[in-house]
Amino acid sequence: MGTLLRNILRFSIFILVQVFVLDNIHLHQMVTPYIYFLFLLWLPFRIGRTWLMIIAFALGFSMDSFRHHPGFHTAACVLIAYLRPFLINLLIPQEGADTNYEEPSMKSMGGILPYLIYSGVLTLIHHTWLFVLEALQFGNVWYFLVKTILSTVVSLMLIIITELLFARQQKFRTNTV
Amino acid sequence: MRNIFLFIRRYFNFLFFLSLQVFSIYLIVHYSKYHNAVFSNTANQLTGKINQQFNNITYYFRLKQTNDSLVRANAMLYNKLRSDFELPDTTSRTVIDSIRTDSLEKYRKYTYLQAKVVANSVSAQNNFIVLSRGESQQIKEGMGIISPNRSVVGIVISVSRDFSLVMSLLHKDSHLSGKLLNGGETGTLSWDGKATNIITLNGIPKSAKVARGDTVITSGFSTSFPKGILIGFVDEVISEKSTNNFLIKLRSATNFFNLEYIYAIDNKQAPAINELLDNAKKLNL
């Protein structure tokens, strides 16, 4: 399967799963897990930062269309798309790992821990920015702080489960041969 | 000039990021204007179709609850049938006047239109409900929406050809007026974005007698709802120190989690009332 086709499929599956399955979960009427932005974390290394932000904008905007209030998810997705390359540069283990593998995963990032930091930090940023934008309209700070932390923990758990269930085969590519 | 171009080229990504963020926040802030222009026609039509497909499946899981609520609504209607009532005295006879221009003749003020819910949210800070009935099926902006058990759900805020969007009672901008059934004092309803079934009622003076469990109904001052539709029951009464009003927490009568069918209320007098109000605005009264 080509990279483009695979990512188009992922895009629609993530949006549908988020809207029709996860949005119906309300733990204690407070925590709703988000997982659709995992699509952005799984995009190939070689995509440029500008394109990354354009794709993130499209993802967030489709998500917002189902919520009937444009802007919230768009802003959060664009933010993590902008920060993703910085984080990858910090966490990638040795010179050239991003050319040897296609996309970020536990294997290509060199272990569970770097990948966990990578997805954990971006999840936290995404949730914080999303809930801050919502909180500005309501102005209840403590409630949203607790909500952010709890949602991040639940989302992160779901992301790890997704990683374990749908293991992606990563070919080791090398250009030295 | 050359430096400006160099600057833009060097920080292109950051500037692009900033402009996208500013655009998103602009969408959030100027939501209502933008919404009416673009969203109601294209995006609602599209997401409405997808939601409808999905609802065809999930509908079966809630058949039991839907059936229960419809049976209850039916029972309520049966109890209102005229044939259920009898005159106490059989010697007296009612004669129906056959003159057409009878001043006692009743005319219809409200019509109820049934509609199916295809999408519903309760977890977001601004909740909306999508109905699979739109402009071409007589739904108009500003119509009130009630549940099968005659309790308030929300107000239609925009319509596309086959779908309409309802601002749920659980929305920060929904400001309906509510009235205490016992005392008759009116106040404004709002939602604080926390618990799904708790709504706040502001503006009830401290002179009012309120107790836990009291009923709150619609006031009938707006064109959306008739008077006396159930909103909720008083759960907690807090007396505000800074003002002369109570802050009342209501438990909503509608269960927002399992809405399947709703009724839209068409007020036949709404155009006439709105025309009067528009005239008043023109005269700067």
Side-chain angles (χ1 to χ4, degrees), chain B residues 110-156:
Chain B
Y110 297 105
T111 324
Y112 293 80
L113 311 167
Q114 54 90 10
K116 179 100 177 51
V117 174
V118 289
N120 180 15
S121 76
V122 291
S123 62
Q125 258 58 57
N126 297 309
N127 294 297
F128 296 95
I129 296 165
V130 182
L131 310 176
S132 68
R133 184 168 184 163
E135 204 174 8
S136 54
Q137 291 94 15
Q138 297 104 42
I139 299 278
K140 296 182 211 88
E141 266 177 47
M143 278 185 172
I145 301 292
I146 60 171
S147 74
N149 302 320
R150 258 178 95 80
S151 54
V152 173
V153 173
I155 286 183
V156 177

Side-chain angles (χ1 to χ4, degrees), chain A:
Chain A
M1 216 183 334
T3 317
L4 181 69
L5 187 65
R6 187 168 58 216
N7 277 307
I8 289 172
L9 264 179
R10 270 182 198 167
F11 185 100
S12 22
I13 290 173
F14 270 125
I15 291 268
L16 290 178
V17 166
Q18 181 64 46
V19 171
F20 292 119
V21 181
L22 296 177
D23 276 1
N24 294 324
I25 300 172
H26 324 290
L27 298 174
H28 296 280
Q29 301 191 350
M30 190 189 210
V31 178
T32 299
Y34 291 103
I35 200 174
Y36 71 97
F37 59 89
L38 197 55
F39 170 77
L40 293 176
L41 308 197
W42 283 4
L43 282 175
F45 285 118
R46 63 169 188 275
I47 289 185
R49 192 171 276 167
T50 313
W51 275 106
L52 208 58
M53 282 191 279
I54 292 172
I55 294 168
F57 188 85
L59 182 76
F61 201 78
S62 347
M63 194 60 211
D64 280 328
S65 309
F66 281 97
R67 294 297 191 83
H68 306 288
H69 197 148
F72 291 108
H73 289 277
T74 317
C77 281
V78 170
L79 179 66
I80 60 168
Y82 179 71
L83 295 176
R84 192 188 101 135
F86 292 114
L87 211 62
I88 287 178
N89 280 340
L90 277 176
L91 290 167
I92 219 78
Q94 73 276 22
E95 197 68 39
D98 47 347
T99 52
N100 289 337
Y101 288 101
E102 171 112 346
E103 52 194 39
S105 71
M106 290 195 189
K107 199 173 163 195
S108 63
M109 309 265 306
I112 294 173
L113 192 67
Y115 186 76
L116 211 60
I117 296 172
Y118 166 69
S119 48
V121 169
L122 289 183
T123 310
L124 185 67
I125 292 169
H126 174 272
H127 284 33
T128 313
W129 191 226
L130 179 68
F131 294 142
V132 159
L133 287 176
E134 288 185 344
L136 287 179
Q137 300 207 315
F138 277 102
N140 193 333
V141 180
W142 284 107
Y143 175 77
F144 282 97
L145 269 181
V146 175
K147 186 175 173 175
T148 309
I149 291 163
L150 287 181
S151 296
T152 307
V153 171
V154 175
S155 300
L156 203 57
M157 262 161 57
L158 267 181
I159 287 175
I160 293 167
I161 291 170
T162 315
E163 288 286 348
L164 296 176
L165 278 180
F166 304 99
R168 290 167 289 153
Q169 264 95 48
Q170 291 273 308
K171 264 183 275 174
F172 184 79
R173 300 182 310 168
T174 174
N175 44 11
T176 52
V177 180

Side-chain angles (χ1 to χ4, degrees), chain B residues 68-273:
Chain B
D68 282 351
S69 71
L70 292 178
V71 165
R72 238 176 291 138
N74 240 349
M76 207 171 69
L77 289 176
Y78 278 139
N79 285 326
K80 286 181 180 166
L81 280 180
R82 192 167 290 168
S83 59
D84 286 352
F85 298 93
E86 252 177 37
L87 288 172
D89 189 1
T90 46
T91 54
S92 72
R93 225 178 53 169
T94 337
V95 179
I96 297 167
D97 198 343
S98 58
I99 302 171
R100 282 287 167 83
T101 52
D102 185 359
S103 61
L104 290 174
E105 191 189 4
K106 287 186 177 164
Y107 53 91
R108 182 171 279 279
K109 187 175 175 191
Y110 297 105
T111 324
Y112 293 80
L113 311 167
Q114 54 90 10
K116 179 100 177 51
V117 174
V118 289
N120 180 15
S121 76
V122 291
S123 62
Q125 258 58 57
N126 297 309
N127 294 297
F128 296 95
I129 296 165
V130 182
L131 310 176
S132 68
R133 184 168 184 163
E135 204 174 8
S136 54
Q137 291 94 15
Q138 297 104 42
I139 299 278
K140 296 182 211 88
E141 266 177 47
M143 278 185 172
I145 301 292
I146 60 171
S147 74
N149 302 320
R150 258 178 95 80
S151 54
V152 173
V153 173
I155 286 183
V156 177
I157 53 165
S158 85
V159 282
S160 61
R161 206 185 72 228
D162 296 321
F163 297 97
S164 49
L165 189 66
V166 176
M167 180 195 272
S168 157
L169 204 54
L170 312 176
H171 189 289
K172 73 168 173 58
D173 292 329
S174 92
H175 296 300
L176 294 174
S177 66
K179 180 178 188 173
L180 289 172
L181 181 63
N182 277 347
E185 287 88 352
T186 49
T188 313
L189 294 166
S190 60
W191 190 54
D192 58 1
K194 284 186 195 166
T196 305
N197 279 341
I198 303 292
I199 302 157
T200 319
L201 179 64
N202 286 311
I204 299 286
K206 281 182 180 164
S207 59
K209 279 178 186 158
V210 196
R212 193 159 179 271
D214 278 2
T215 311
V216 177
I217 56 174
T218 52
S219 62
F221 291 158
S222 73
T223 52
S224 302
F225 292 102
K227 188 186 167 185
I229 289 192
L230 194 57
I231 294 173
F233 306 102
V234 174
D235 194 48
E236 196 184 352
V237 182
I238 305 159
S239 66
E240 286 182 321
K241 273 173 191 156
S242 54
T243 67
N244 203 18
N245 292 334
F246 280 131
L247 185 80
I248 299 175
K249 300 271 180 193
L250 301 179
R251 193 163 286 279
S252 79
T254 311
N255 186 352
F256 287 93
F257 285 99
N258 56 9
L259 288 175
E260 277 295 342
Y261 282 101
I262 52 83
Y263 297 101
I265 301 176
D266 186 12
N267 186 345
K268 299 287 184 198
Q269 295 175 349
I273 295 172

